[in-house]
Amino acid sequence: MGPAIATAQPSLDCSPQALKNRGYFSNQGDGTVSILDLTTNRVVGTIGGFEHPWNVNVNADGTKLYVDDVPVFDLGYANISVVDTCTHAVRKRIPTSGLAIGSAPAHGREVFTAAYIPRELLVLDTARDEVTATYRTTSIPSGVIGDEHGKDLWVTAFPNLVYHIDRRTGVSTESTPIYTAGPAPQQMALSPDGSTLSVADSTGISLIDTATKSIRARVVLPGELSSPAYGGVSPDGRHLWMAYFSGQVAVIDIATGHVRRIHQTGGWGIGVTFSKDGSRVYVPTTPPGTVISPLGIGYAIPAFVKSWRPGGVVRIYDTTTFGEVGEITAGNLPMAVAIPGVVK
């Protein structure tokens, strides 16, 4: 469905093992998706032809990408583009009718998308590439994630709401939500056992007990005017790694909320993804010196209209020592890395 969109590059191996060993990240400011060889941590190709690729998810066997493509000046065209990872052709475009940001559990059988403008939550089956469930909301949803067992959806919404949907019964707590201490919550991360939900808003992080549906800890970087962006919980369930619009990468103890380590990157952090074995974490950022607003709001307009082109760096950290162990040169405004079989 649609023409091939690969840019000039060497022929890539399309064997099942090769596809499982590739990661992908979008370069929002370039309209491209970079192909990453996870064995060498090198960019080996680029897929072009998107309007504004906000986020990327991948299915479990690495054969298909799901790209949130959202043109700023034509939200009616906004869609999830399903891309064949071997041919780089768009197989299908699933309309979202507005800004949509997707997420996916590690099993890769589903992609969840929060569509802002129509106020909908979409559940996409990656085997059929069809929307199999739609949840309409009263509030404006800004993010959605699901657990590995297909039982729960957690939703963030404006102005400062977090609520739960039981997928088995359809019962929602939207009318009795959890209220975050800061405005505009969006990105969430679940601990592997599902007991803790991390919610990032524009000023801090709420650690929520999923059983009691209550906030048990609030995390704000000490002495920092910071704005958490995107994070993830390590596969062992011990640490939350959080990237910040204000130029930090923090390692946080998930049990206590204690900040174990802060890296000053000087650039806008836009994602956190762990390697399959959990030993490394990939954090896309803009380069040092590109934080132009403490709360990140100064980025929004120039980033969306592609007038701001700072470049990008994917930083690699060791999850045991918390030290930085490598960098990958990226395009403009790189988004979180998608890896087959890894929660996104």
Side-chain angles (χ1 to χ4, degrees):
M1 174 132 184
I5 53 176
T7 56
Q9 58 193 37
S11 176
L12 296 178
D13 182 359
C14 288
S15 66
Q17 188 59 41
L19 292 177
K20 288 183 179 179
N21 284 326
R22 289 201 187 118
Y24 304 86
F25 59 88
S26 60
N27 302 292
Q28 299 176 51
D30 295 339
T32 63
V33 172
S34 292
I35 306 168
L36 182 63
D37 184 326
L38 297 170
T39 60
T40 62
N41 286 324
R42 296 180 59 187
V43 172
V44 294
T46 303
I47 306 172
F50 301 103
E51 292 290 333
H52 190 99
W54 179 257
N55 197 10
V56 176
N57 290 287
V58 63
N59 65 345
D61 61 11
T63 58
K64 290 185 286 188
L65 288 179
Y66 297 84
V67 183
D68 301 326
D69 195 10
V70 186
V72 178
F73 299 111
D74 186 10
L75 292 179
Y77 174 82
N79 68 89
I80 301 170
S81 293
V82 184
V83 180
D84 185 303
T85 56
C86 182
T87 65
H88 303 161
V90 176
R91 299 171 63 162
K92 191 172 187 178
R93 291 187 175 94
I94 301 168
T96 60
S97 302
L99 179 60
I101 298 177
S103 62
H107 59 60
R109 296 189 298 269
E110 296 177 306
V111 172
F112 309 110
T113 294
Y116 288 20
I117 293 176
R119 300 190 184 192
E120 292 178 342
L121 308 172
L122 307 178
V123 179
L124 191 155
D125 182 322
T126 60
R128 294 182 288 168
D129 292 334
E130 294 179 357
V131 174
T132 55
T134 301
Y135 299 87
R136 289 177 172 82
T137 66
T138 301
S139 54
I140 300 174
S142 55
V144 58
I145 62 171
D147 69 342
E148 294 291 335
H149 308 293
K151 298 178 180 179
D152 302 301
L153 291 179
W154 288 91
V155 185
T156 51
F158 297 109
N160 63 332
L161 313 179
V162 182
Y163 59 92
H164 171 262
I165 297 175
D166 186 321
R167 295 181 65 186
R168 296 162 295 183
T169 65
V171 173
S172 169
T173 63
E174 185 177 11
S175 61
T176 56
I178 303 164
Y179 294 94
T180 59
Q186 184 180 79
Q187 200 276 342
M188 294 172 284
L190 269 172
S191 60
D193 64 3
S195 65
T196 301
L197 177 72
S198 163
V199 180
D201 58 55
S202 61
T203 61
I205 301 163
S206 296
L207 297 179
I208 295 174
D209 184 308
T210 59
T212 63
K213 297 180 175 60
S214 61
I215 297 174
R216 61 174 177 79
R218 176 76 174 169
V219 182
V220 178
L221 296 191
E224 302 274 3
L225 181 59
S226 58
S227 180
Y230 296 88
V233 180
S234 57
D236 63 9
R238 296 178 58 193
H239 298 110
L240 169 69
W241 285 71
M242 181 63 65
Y244 287 73
F245 288 119
S246 44
Q248 300 90 13
V249 174
V251 186
I252 300 161
D253 188 301
I254 198 75
T256 65
H258 175 68
V259 179
R260 298 285 306 278
R261 181 79 176 267
I262 300 174
H263 290 273
Q264 299 291 344
T265 66
W268 186 18
I270 333 175
V272 168
T273 307
F274 293 91
S275 60
K276 292 178 184 178
D277 64 3
S279 67
R280 296 288 187 267
V281 59
Y282 297 87
V283 183
T285 71
T286 56
T290 55
V291 173
I292 58 177
S293 167
L295 297 182
I297 194 66
Y299 290 112
I301 294 175
F304 282 136
V305 301
K306 300 182 181 179
S307 65
W308 186 55
R309 303 180 63 81
V313 179
V314 177
R315 301 177 183 277
I316 308 173
Y317 297 93
D318 186 298
T319 56
T320 300
T321 66
F322 304 153
E324 185 172 346
V325 294
E327 292 184 356
I328 302 167
T329 300
N332 284 289
L333 303 175
M335 191 74 172
V337 178
I339 297 174
V342 174
V343 66
K344 176 71 159 46

